[in-house]
């Protein structure tokens, strides 16, 4: 009888340890990503169910990525839903929304991970394949979001591997003086979207949400 | 009762795939199975602090370029400034508990720093050295 009791309590302990491990992981997974805009899952683009609506504002202000608001009135680009993409790519740099480049650009980037802008970012093959697929399916080619459409139509068949080299991006950033970014040690490069775009992670690049480190709000 | 044992085993197994304390031991025996001899933390340390010249850029690279001298404090990506959590398991216990993660970064960082992949012997030496930090 006593033996049985010990066995039972050991079992209980083991269960608790197991559960704690899972809970710990769940919390760890969420770290830093919780920006209040929920609604991700699998490969789908969840632009519509985030309970996040700044569409009208965008129309009025004519957002950083243009304000025509032709099709969708929420974020400028669909938020990142890919769990593996966010984990593998977003652990080193801003998880650029797939809708910021056409699929041919993503394919080029993912085929050259051995020299990924000067870094080696090689992935195990199965992860490389899965992330490439995610990026293609959610690329600007298949997105109705404003920024995606504008970037796509600005390309004219070119396949840039840098978002900062797309003509639309260049046009939108050309009036920012270099002292505010290139020569600003807190920014350094336009590649770090979220250093200035405070809602970048939510796919919103509205110029009214821009806050340049060391300079404050951007007002043109 | 049997059901409970199965459930408990399941949860323990699940917990272990997420943070597996025996990851280093498993990797070391895997490297040995592929021909590596006894591992040496001293060799690992020597390779860790050594500098290597990058053929393409002429830049001098070392593990410490990003991980810095003190492994118990945070490192920093040499270009982006992205924070790298401490490598020392004594202050960061999740380090060296995920075999896939370890192998991924060995591949990337050996190629970037040394200009080639590390051998099984070298990886084992590194692990032995790092595990003690």
């Amino acid at each position: 009888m006593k033996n049985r009791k010990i066995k039972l309590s050991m079992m209980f302990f083991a269960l608790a340890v197991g559960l704690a491990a899972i809970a710990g992981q769940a919390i760890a997974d969420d770290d830093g990503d919780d920006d209040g805009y929920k609604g991700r899952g699998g490969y789908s683009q969840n632009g519509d169910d985030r309970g996040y609506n700044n569409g009208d504002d965008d129309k009025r202000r004519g957002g950083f990525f243009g304000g025509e608001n032709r099709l969708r009135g929420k974020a400028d680009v669909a938020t990142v839903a890919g769990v593996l993409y966010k984990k593998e790519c977003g652990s080193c740099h801003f998880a650029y929304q797939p809708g910021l480049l056409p699929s041919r650009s993503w394919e080029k980037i993912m085929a050259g991970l051995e020299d990924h802008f000067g870094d080696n970012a090689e992935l195990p093959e199965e992860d490389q394949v899965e992330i490439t697929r995610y990026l293609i399916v959610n690329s600007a080619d298949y997105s109705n979001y404003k920024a995606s459409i504008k970037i796509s139509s600005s390309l004219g068949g070119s396949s840039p591997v840098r978002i900062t080299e797309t003509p639309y991006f260049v046009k939108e950033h050309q009036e920012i003086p270099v002292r505010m970014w290139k020569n600003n040690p807190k920014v350094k490069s336009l590649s770090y979207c979220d250093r200035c775009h405070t809602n970048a992670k939510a796919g919103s690049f509205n110029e009214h949400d821009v806050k340049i480190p060391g300079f404050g709000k951007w007002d043109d | 009762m049997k059901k409970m044992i199965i459930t408990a085993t399941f949860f323990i197994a699940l917990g272990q795939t997420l943070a597996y304390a025996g990851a280093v031991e498993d990797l070391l025996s895997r490297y040995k199975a592929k021909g590596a001899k006894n591992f040496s933390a001293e060799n690992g340390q020597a390779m860790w602090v050594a500098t290597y010249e990058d053929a393409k850029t002429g830049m001098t690279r070392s593990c410490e370029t990003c991980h810095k001298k003190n492994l118990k404090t945070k490192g920093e990506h040499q270009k982006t400034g992205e924070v790298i959590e401490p490598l020392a398991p004594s202050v960061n216990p999740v380090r060296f508990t995920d075999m896939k993660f370890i192998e991924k970064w060995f591949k990337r960082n050996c190629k970037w720093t040394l200009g080639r992949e590390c051998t099984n012997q070298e990886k084992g030496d590194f692990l032995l050295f790092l595990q003690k930090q």
Side-chain angles (χ1 to χ4, degrees), chain A residues 130-149:
Chain A
E130 188 179 332
I131 290 173
T132 306
R133 200 169 61 116
Y134 163 74
L135 290 168
I136 290 172
V137 171
N138 293 282
S139 68
D141 298 351
Y142 310 111
S143 173
N144 282 334
Y145 280 77
K146 286 178 296 195
S148 298
I149 292 169

Side-chain angles (χ1 to χ4, degrees), chain B residues 13-25:
Chain B
L14 196 68
Q16 281 181 343
T17 57
L18 302 173
Y20 175 42
V24 171
E25 283 67 32

Side-chain angles (χ1 to χ4, degrees), chain A residues 8 11 14-15 18 21-22 25 88 92 114-115 117-124 126-127 188 192 195, chain B residues 1 4-5 7-8 11-12 14-15 18 56 61 77-82 100 104-105 107-108 111-112:
Chain A
L8 261 172
M11 213 68 71
L15 252 169
I22 295 164
Q25 185 67 14
E88 289 297 339
C92 293
E114 194 172 355
D115 184 0
F117 307 103
D119 269 317
N120 187 305
E122 282 177 274
L123 286 164
E126 69 270 21
D127 294 345
K188 291 203 262 194
Y192 307 121
R195 291 194 183 165
Chain B
M1 193 58 180
M4 245 184 115
I5 295 173
T7 321
F11 277 118
I12 290 168
L14 196 68
L18 302 173
K56 218 162 119 191
R61 295 174 174 177
H77 187 276
Q78 48 90 30
K79 192 164 86 189
T80 65
E82 194 80 23
K100 194 176 171 184
K104 179 179 78 181
W105 283 104
K107 190 173 184 187
R108 290 175 171 179
K111 281 188 167 182
W112 188 85

